[in-house]
Amino acid sequence: MPSSEKGVAPGNAQYEELRTRFFSTRVPNAYPAKIFTPKTTFEVQQIINEAKSTGQKVGVRSGGHLFPCASLIDKGILIDTIDLNNTIDYDPQTRQVSFPPGARSKDLASALQKIGRFFPFGHDPTVAAGGFLLAGGQGWFMRGWGCTSDTWVTEMEMVMPSGDVIRASKSKNADIFWAARGSGQGFFAVVTRIWGMTIPMRHLFETTFAFDCTSNFEEVLEAIFALNDFTPKYGVEIALTTFRPDRFEAELDEQVHDRRVFMGVSVLAFASTIDEAGVLVSPWKNLPEVMKKSLLALQPLSEKSWEELFTAQDNLLQRGNGERYQCDSILDRPDISRNELIKAIKPAMCDLPTRRSVGCIYIGDYTPKQFDQAISLPQHYYIATMTCWTDPLWDDRMREWMKRVYAQAAQASCGQYVADYDATQRVTPVSSKFTRHKTLRALY
Ligand SMILES: Cc1cc2nc3c(=O)[nH]c(=O)nc-3n(C[C@H](O)[C@H](O)[C@H](O)COP(=O)(O)OP(=O)(O)OC[C@H]3O[C@@H](n4cnc5c(N)ncnc54)[C@H](O)[C@@H]3O)c2cc1C
């Protein structure tokens, strides 16, 4: 059967459910002429060949986590990889794992847990490998080994706009492999399978802190950055969130009722024993006075499972009840002082406009090598705000708030992680101006 007969068109009972399969319910009014859920690379090839013959534009969706829903193209084609090449395989000879672009972090965690291996997938349980790795991927324990696309991904299979199926790696189609790791939603082919290296799984040990930083956000954040400087890079992950105390009060409306600003900090170690983890996180044993003064709760180092860590992520950005989201973010400018940085980002972190909005700082401590992959901006601190609400009437207000606070945050920014890029919101660099790669020269 030709692929066109398999696609779902407007009017079909399944169409709207498939069209709106995104993390955020703030889905734009864009209506693809057909939505396909191919099962094999050959079917993807057929769809691309047909789109080529009709001149239709193609969008690709894996996990649907990109907030602007860039894969939805009005009157175009949407390829949803949800059913594509749906197996996760491990090769004990090469110790590599291969998986489909639709594999979610929780699928990879569960498959690898069974065989005692580890690959740095995304933090959120439902982020899919496709969009995550095309953006570079801020995966677990990035402080030690950089973005996941950097050293972990070895090969990708993809269907090119010409309809050809190719494999790309550092030695085959190297230019395309370069572009696939960091061009995010700008990538020009359909990724159909991915191969990556694994290492033996160790245990996960976490200590967490909660602070009331309503009156001393600057001092607390400065102290956290200083502790980060003294924490080993390999095997330790440091992330913090800012939030309103009433974010879990389900019976309240969207307004902020309690204007205090709380901060949660997670310090997570990848280690064989709790003693080893204790050494890795030892700089956090004696908090400076300013942190002690604001401390609300401290959870000592204890072992955690993937399930527990994923549940914490689920709670951070709630879903499934009509939540609408917007995200903006910056990567900090390396030549700016910490004081200037903290001043610039304070509204984005502290003036959260709804009860369930969160600020987030993920410490990447990473400078990519731009000759090696498209991702090229330094990712020292990834600083983001995710606003959350349910009533569509709040959309404009939320957009205006984000525009205002990120105009200020942008003063301390060298650009943005490509996964958050939304040209309808803010135009900002996603790669280094020094990029001189021939693929980019050919494209632009
Ligand atoms: C709750 C949440 C948590 C997140 N956590 C992290 C995190 O820990 N680390 C991190 O780095 N990022 C994180 N992100 C950002 C996320 O990685 C990006 O939004 C990423 O693009 C999502 O990938 P996806 O496949 O789920 O989304 P999609 O919306 O399906 O894909 C995003 C874009 O990638 C392209 N694309 C997807 N699949 C393919 C494919 N098979 N072939 C070609 N192009 C494709 C399309 O252009 C698409 O618009 C998070 C986002 C959310 C909402």
Side-chain angles (χ1 to χ4, degrees):
M1 189 196 299
S3 308
S4 53
E5 288 170 32
K6 290 187 184 164
V8 171
N12 183 302
Q14 265 190 304
Y15 180 84
E16 196 53 14
E17 190 190 326
L18 272 178
R19 189 185 79 86
T20 57
R21 196 182 67 77
F22 287 96
F23 181 89
S24 168
T25 61
R26 197 169 61 99
V27 176
N29 289 327
Y31 294 86
K34 278 269 172 81
I35 303 176
F36 293 93
T37 51
K39 290 192 168 53
T40 64
T41 303
F42 178 65
E43 284 179 27
V44 174
Q45 200 179 19
Q46 283 185 308
I47 298 162
I48 293 294
N49 283 332
E50 281 182 27
K52 222 170 43 160
S53 66
T54 55
Q56 278 170 302
K57 290 191 173 165
V58 177
V60 191
R61 178 175 62 199
S62 288
H65 280 58
L66 197 89
F67 288 127
C69 311
S71 50
L72 272 191
I73 298 173
D74 203 36
K75 301 190 177 60
I77 296 291
L78 173 61
I79 298 179
D80 186 322
T81 69
I82 190 168
D83 294 329
L84 179 64
N85 292 330
N86 241 343
T87 57
I88 299 177
D89 298 321
Y90 176 69
D91 179 345
Q93 297 297 316
T94 60
R95 300 197 180 98
Q96 294 205 23
V97 61
S98 75
F99 48 89
R104 295 170 186 272
S105 301
K106 63 179 179 187
D107 304 329
L108 286 165
S110 142
L112 290 170
Q113 184 79 34
K114 286 185 196 137
I115 50 167
R117 306 296 295 178
F118 170 79
F119 171 86
F121 36 77
H123 293 83
D124 186 85
T126 56
V127 159
F132 170 75
L133 290 173
L134 286 172
Q138 297 173 334
W140 291 93
F141 302 102
M142 175 178 167
R143 281 172 82 251
W145 41 59
C147 274
T148 304
S149 65
D150 190 332
T151 41
W152 294 84
V153 176
T154 53
E155 195 163 1
M156 289 181 176
E157 179 192 77
M158 52 189 87
V159 181
M160 299 297 288
S162 61
D164 295 332
V165 178
I166 65 153
R167 292 273 197 106
S169 66
K170 285 191 179 173
S171 55
K172 271 181 289 183
N173 298 303
D175 271 14
I176 292 165
F177 192 58
W178 177 90
R181 294 170 304 139
S183 50
Q185 65 261 46
F187 192 54
F188 42 78
V190 186
V191 176
T192 49
R193 197 146 182 93
I194 301 155
W195 284 258
M197 290 195 277
T198 64
I199 57 172
M201 180 58 193
R202 298 171 89 184
H203 296 268
L204 303 161
F205 299 96
E206 189 186 37
T207 176
T208 61
F209 307 85
F211 302 98
D212 179 347
C213 61
T214 313
S215 60
N216 61 355
F217 170 77
E218 292 89 338
E219 290 87 350
V220 174
L221 188 54
E222 179 105 32
I224 289 170
F225 286 162
L227 285 178
N228 173 64
D229 293 341
F230 288 98
T231 307
K233 302 257 178 267
Y234 187 89
V236 189
E237 152 122 349
I238 300 169
L240 68 88
T241 54
T242 53
F243 57 93
R244 300 290 191 186
D246 54 0
R247 67 179 316 250
F248 293 114
E249 308 285 335
E251 69 283 2
L252 294 178
D253 59 20
E254 297 298 357
Q255 311 271 358
V256 176
H257 297 266
D258 184 337
R259 300 207 68 81
R260 287 175 296 164
V261 181
F262 285 3
M263 183 190 286
V265 182
S266 159
V267 183
L268 182 74
F270 181 77
S272 298
T273 62
I274 195 160
D275 288 347
E276 184 189 344
V279 174
L280 290 172
V281 309
S282 56
W284 297 77
K285 276 188 185 143
N286 294 311
L287 299 182
E289 211 43 48
V290 61
M291 288 171 85
K292 277 191 198 150
K293 254 187 1 210
S294 315
L295 189 66
L296 296 169
L298 185 166
Q299 191 192 72
L301 199 63
S302 66
E303 183 159 3
K304 290 285 159 72
S305 62
W306 282 126
E307 290 69 31
E308 287 170 299
L309 296 176
F310 285 151
T311 301
Q313 295 284 328
D314 275 339
N315 288 335
L316 180 66
L317 297 180
Q318 296 158 5
R319 58 205 76 179
N321 289 302
E323 284 86 356
R324 301 169 85 76
Y325 279 98
Q326 187 178 5
C327 171
D328 205 345
S329 67
I330 62 157
L331 296 168
D332 65 301
R333 240 172 66 196
D335 62 340
I336 206 163
S337 74
R338 278 191 186 156
N339 279 345
E340 286 172 286
L341 172 66
I342 293 172
K343 197 166 152 216
I345 65 172
K346 188 176 173 189
M349 295 291 108
C350 297
D351 295 350
L352 302 170
T354 64
R355 199 168 52 77
R356 290 190 293 167
S357 299
V358 291
C360 162
I361 301 183
Y362 179 65
I363 302 188
D365 276 345
Y366 165 65
T367 306
K369 300 171 279 300
Q370 60 171 297
F371 60 84
D372 186 47
Q373 53 179 346
I375 188 162
S376 56
L377 291 176
Q379 303 209 9
H380 189 205
Y381 304 129
Y382 164 78
I383 296 159
T385 311
M386 287 90 178
T387 47
C388 173
W389 68 101
T390 44
D391 184 348
L393 292 175
W394 280 55
D395 287 9
D396 288 346
R397 201 189 316 180
M398 292 293 99
R399 230 188 335 264
E400 285 313 307
W401 181 88
M402 199 66 108
K403 208 185 259 179
R404 180 169 52 77
V405 297
Y406 271 85
Q408 177 167 338
Q411 292 166 17
S413 153
C414 66
Q416 187 175 45
Y417 182 39
V418 66
D420 295 336
Y421 185 73
D422 179 358
T424 64
Q425 190 174 313
R426 194 163 65 88
V427 175
T428 181
V430 292
S431 66
S432 161
K433 64 182 174 187
F434 301 112
T435 293
R436 289 285 182 270
H437 197 276
K438 58 185 176 181
T439 303
L440 276 192
R441 282 209 307 272
L443 283 172
Y444 301 107

